[in-house]
Amino acid sequence: MTEQNGIEEIREIVTVASAARRSRLTITTVRRYVHRGLVEEPITEEDLATLRRVRRLTGLGINLAGVEVVLHMRRQIEALRAEVDHLRALIDS
Amino acid sequence: VEYKDYYDILGVSRDADEKEIKRAFRRMARKHHPDVNPGDSEAEDRFKEINEAYEVLSDPEKRQKYDQFGHAYKDWERRGGQSGDFNWGQWGGGAPGGQRVNVQYGSPEDLQDLFGDASPFSDFFTNLFGGMGGGGAAPGGAGRPRGGYQRQARPRRGQDLEQEVEISLEEAYHGSTRLLQKDGRRLQVKIPPGAATGTRIRMAGEGGPGAAGGQAGDLYLRVRVADDPRFEREGADLHTTVEVDLYTAVLGGKARVETPSGPVMLTIPEGTQNGQTFRLKGKGMPRLRQPEQHGDLYAEVEAQLPEELTPRQRELFQSLRDLSQEGS
């Protein structure tokens, strides 16, 4: 038997099963969202919030195409907001 | 504590049926949902109201209580009562043990996503229906926190972690041990004989720590078996090539075959053809979880023809050819 002292680093990755449990989706649904590009594999801690967001939005009767639009616009809004904060800070200083 | 008109908030009439209420809620929620209005606190407050209104009006029991309360409150107001000293005594909080409140977005993670640590319910709601325990039932008899929502820390299981480990084919054959370092602690992992690329080894409780007394997650090791230039693996079977010189192939003899457990000598019968395959039973990989059972090793003969001939060899080959032509 070979003994190895390989010290490995552990990344913050969530298994699909765990992501499904923690976002209250089924494994199949999580895989479908990954396939559709709503989140990317490997799934990380940050992706869980997105998965839950997708679930809530579909719960409002929005279809996946609509969810994609919402997520895209959200990212734009967040980027704009960050820029506004940055500019405000510049004015204040 | 201000009286809240939930019908007005959802924009429905007092005799609206369940379907109407649901439709109104969805329409309003789509507009004001925090997922659609990131960072907009006004929309967030509006959404809280909408959610709260729906929470009450979509539940027949709560709706009934709210309607009764509404009459009492209006009467009291007509008699000139001041909002500050309304007697909540007979209305408050429901039965001891806490009324169970199921919110539309009731998981603790959802509430955290949407509102941070802020309460999703108004004082008005809390006075009337009691506190709520993050989607689950509040622990029995805990009473209701006055003047706001208090998050109950629920035991939460730690996250699962995944890590890839690369092993050689020999290690996959014999089984192996790996030492990992995690949070300054050393973990010894046994990789069982027969592991293949994609095999996952679960180490219970070695994932992320649980929160509020929840159990820790698991650590999964995903095995990757490095390519071995000598073998092709097909399940538990292995394929390899064995070099046989021309004379052994023609006359028979022995040839050396590599196996994961070391070389063995294979008997080559007379007249072996190039490309002929021999099966070495039980010389393949062990089966996962049944390591006493092995697959087979298929050895394909690669006959080596002499590249340079000495004059003497050339002469002999020449006479061999003459001989075979004569014979046919």
Side-chain angles (χ1 to χ4, degrees):
Chain A
M1 193 165 283
T2 335
E3 279 269 338
Q4 292 244 344
N5 277 21
I7 308 274
E8 315 268 354
E9 260 208 5
I10 290 164
R11 291 159 298 164
E12 299 283 298
I13 282 174
V14 185
T15 60
V16 172
S18 170
R21 191 174 58 230
R22 291 176 58 194
S23 55
R24 297 199 295 157
L25 294 165
T26 64
I27 291 175
T28 320
T29 308
V30 171
R31 286 198 204 285
R32 188 149 43 92
Y33 291 170
V34 168
H35 184 71
R36 227 188 137 108
L38 293 171
V39 289
E40 264 176 52
E41 243 183 330
I43 298 168
T44 63
E45 278 290 306
E46 291 87 71
D47 293 330
L48 291 178
T50 306
L51 286 173
R52 288 195 290 265
R53 189 165 288 137
V54 176
R55 170 172 53 69
R56 292 192 298 263
L57 289 170
T58 51
L60 291 175
I62 302 173
N63 65 16
L64 281 188
V67 170
E68 270 171 311
V69 173
V70 170
L71 292 183
H72 177 68
M73 291 180 90
R74 249 193 89 92
R75 280 193 282 275
Q76 283 186 326
I77 292 170
E78 274 160 6
L80 286 172
R81 201 173 285 277
E83 202 178 326
V84 168
D85 288 348
H86 174 67
L87 291 173
R88 281 217 179 105
L90 279 183
I91 293 166
D92 288 348
S93 65
Chain B
V1 179
E2 288 288 312
Y3 176 78
K4 278 189 188 289
D5 188 336
Y6 289 143
Y7 293 99
D8 195 42
I9 289 168
L10 284 188
V12 293
S13 65
R14 294 203 172 252
D15 50 12
D17 62 16
E18 260 175 66
K19 242 174 132 180
E20 254 174 276
I21 287 169
K22 185 168 189 172
R23 208 178 315 128
F25 165 72
R26 280 188 158 195
R27 198 182 54 238
M28 304 282 270
R30 278 200 291 268
K31 198 165 155 195
H32 299 286
H33 200 288
D35 284 332
V36 187
N37 299 278
D40 182 345
S41 58
E42 222 171 279
E44 190 180 298
D45 289 344
R46 192 89 180 84
F47 176 72
K48 277 186 195 172
E49 277 193 332
I50 294 161
N51 192 46
E52 183 174 309
Y54 184 63
E55 176 65 38
V56 174
L57 298 187
S58 64
D59 179 334
E61 237 174 83
K62 282 203 203 76
R63 186 176 175 184
Q64 199 191 0
K65 184 174 177 184
Y66 173 73
D67 287 345
Q68 285 169 0
F69 169 80
H71 290 305
Y73 194 88
K74 288 272 150 62
D75 278 351
W76 173 78
E77 236 180 9
R78 261 201 302 279
R79 292 194 305 267
Q82 297 291 306
S83 68
D85 39 64
F86 178 78
N87 176 23
W88 284 92
Q90 58 172 312
W91 297 104
Q99 195 162 354
R100 188 170 171 161
V101 179
N102 294 307
V103 205
Q104 289 304 300
Y105 303 96
S107 86
E109 292 86 1
D110 280 332
L111 291 172
Q112 180 75 38
D113 281 358
L114 292 173
F115 309 117
D117 284 324
S119 161
F121 289 109
S122 68
D123 286 355
F124 174 77
F125 179 95
T126 314
N127 273 340
L128 198 53
F129 298 107
M132 53 89 61
R144 70 200 160 92
R146 238 198 106 80
Y149 158 79
Q150 220 172 39
R151 176 182 295 276
Q152 287 283 344
R154 297 169 81 213
R156 207 158 62 90
R157 199 172 169 277
Q159 69 192 94
D160 291 349
L161 302 172
E162 200 171 87
Q163 171 67 42
E164 189 179 89
V165 283
E166 194 181 87
I167 60 171
S168 67
L169 191 75
E170 271 94 352
E171 286 179 291
Y173 183 88
H174 294 287
S176 178
T177 310
R178 282 292 157 98
L179 276 176
L180 304 182
Q181 180 144 328
K182 181 181 163 259
D183 309 329
R185 227 156 38 82
R186 282 178 148 209
L187 295 176
Q188 195 175 348
V189 194
K190 277 211 169 110
I191 297 163
T197 295
T199 299
R200 296 209 310 169
I201 299 157
R202 177 166 166 264
M203 300 189 71
E206 297 293 357
Q215 63 182 129
D218 301 334
L219 171 62
Y220 288 91
L221 291 166
R222 189 195 285 274
V223 173
R224 213 173 72 80
V225 180
D227 283 341
D228 191 302
R230 298 168 302 167
F231 302 105
E232 297 254 31
R233 187 172 178 182
E234 223 170 74
D237 294 337
L238 290 174
H239 294 260
T240 189
T241 53
V242 50
E243 291 181 4
V244 179
D245 66 80
L246 175 69
Y247 313 104
T248 311
V250 173
L251 303 172
K254 284 193 180 296
R256 192 182 139 108
V257 182
E258 294 288 338
T259 80
S261 56
V264 297
M265 294 311 280
L266 175 68
T267 305
I268 304 288
E270 201 180 300
T272 293
Q273 300 294 308
N274 190 31
Q276 196 169 330
T277 302
F278 293 95
R279 185 169 76 129
L280 285 80
K281 204 167 179 324
K283 289 287 180 192
M285 298 297 285
R287 291 182 200 281
L288 195 61
R289 282 181 281 274
Q290 299 155 300
E292 63 292 338
Q293 286 183 35
H294 282 69
D296 303 329
L297 175 68
Y298 292 89
E300 187 183 332
V301 170
E302 211 175 82
Q304 306 289 304
L305 299 183
E307 280 175 22
E308 273 174 58
L309 299 176
T310 60
R312 169 84 178 130
Q313 278 174 328
R314 199 181 164 75
E315 201 179 298
L316 288 171
F317 269 109
Q318 190 69 53
S319 33
L320 267 174
R321 182 161 77 181
D322 296 344
L323 200 66
S324 66
Q325 275 168 356
E326 259 172 49
S328 62

